[in-house]
Amino acid sequence: DHKRFPLVCLLKRAPKMAVAKRITQWIPHLSPRAYADLVLGLRRGSVLTSDFMVMLGLAAAIASFGLLQDSAAIVIGSMLLAPLMTPMIGCGLALVQGNARLGLKSSKTIAVGVALTIGVSFLVGFTTPGQELTSEVMSRGVPNILDLFVALFAACAAAYALARPNIGGAVAGVAIATALVPPLCSVGIALSYGKIPTAFGAFLLFSTNLVAIILGASITFNILGINSMQMQAQRNTWVYKALG
C-alpha cells in the first residue's frame, strides 16, 4: 500500500558524454551498400590491367613533355589522367582489413606502374634534344617536409571522397594536389640527362607521397568504420610487417 509505505525515488543526472564519443557521433559511417561499392571499386581499381597500363603510359608521356616544356598546365592535365592513386588507396584498405591478397595485388600494380612511368619518361627524355633540366623537373628533385603533409591530407581527402559518393567529384582535385606521376617522370628525365642527384630527390618525393597516401587512406578508412575487428593472427602479422 503506497499510503502506508511511501515510495522513495532517487534521480541521478546522466553522466556527461565523453568528448571523444561526442566527436565520433559526427563522423559519418557507411551504409552496407556504400561499403560494398567502395570495396568492390578499390579491388577492381587495384588489379593490373591493360587499361591501367595504357592510361598510365599516356599520362606519363604527357607529363614528360610538359616537364620538358616547363608547362605547369600540361603537367596538371597529366595528373588527372593517371590512375596510379587507386591502387595506393587499395593498399590502405588492405591494411585496415588485414587483406594480404589485396595488399599484394595493389603493390604489384604500383610496382609495375612505377617502372612503366620511369621507362616512358626516360625514353621521352632520351629522344628529346636538350641540354639542361627545366625548372619543373628541378623543383621535384628537392622535396621537403611540406610535401609529406600535402600527400597525407590529400590521401585522407581521397579516401573520404571515395567513401562518400555525394562528394566523389573531389577526387579530381586530390589527384592534382598529390604529386605522383610528375616526380616519377622527373626521375626518368633526370636519369636520361645523367642528373643522378635530381633523380634521387624526385624518387624520394614519390616514395614519401606513396607512404603518406597509404597510411592516410588506412587512417581515414579506420575512422569511418571500415575495418576488420576479428583478424586472424596471420593477417595481423602481415599488417604489422607492412606498417613496419
Side-chain angles (χ1 to χ4, degrees), residues 36-195:
D37 291 341
L38 172 66
V39 173
L40 181 61
L42 287 178
R43 286 180 177 176
R44 288 178 175 175
S46 300
V47 177
L48 182 62
T49 61
S50 58
D51 292 336
F52 175 87
M53 297 186 67
V54 169
M55 289 301 299
L56 185 58
L58 293 174
I62 295 172
S64 299
F65 287 116
L67 291 170
L68 290 172
Q69 292 181 0
D70 211 12
S71 174
I74 297 177
V75 174
I76 291 174
S78 69
M79 296 179 189
L80 295 174
L81 295 176
L84 195 55
M85 178 176 282
T86 304
M88 296 181 185
I89 303 295
C91 272
L93 178 65
L95 284 179
V96 170
Q97 293 187 324
N99 191 338
R101 184 177 180 181
L102 176 60
L104 292 176
K105 283 185 177 181
S106 302
S107 300
K108 177 184 177 181
T109 303
I110 294 171
V112 174
V114 169
L116 175 63
T117 305
I118 294 178
V120 170
S121 59
F122 180 87
L123 183 62
V124 171
F126 185 79
T127 57
T128 302
Q131 298 297 328
E132 296 294 334
L133 296 177
T134 61
S135 60
E136 285 287 332
V137 177
M138 295 294 294
S139 63
R140 287 168 174 82
V142 189
N144 56 58
I145 191 65
L146 297 180
D147 296 319
L148 172 65
F149 288 113
V150 169
L152 180 62
F153 286 104
C156 294
Y160 188 83
L162 288 173
R164 308 291 294 173
N166 56 325
I167 57 174
V171 177
V174 173
I176 296 176
T178 309
L180 294 175
V181 170
L184 288 176
C185 292
S186 298
V187 172
I189 294 173
L191 288 176
S192 67
Y193 277 60
K195 307 293 185 179

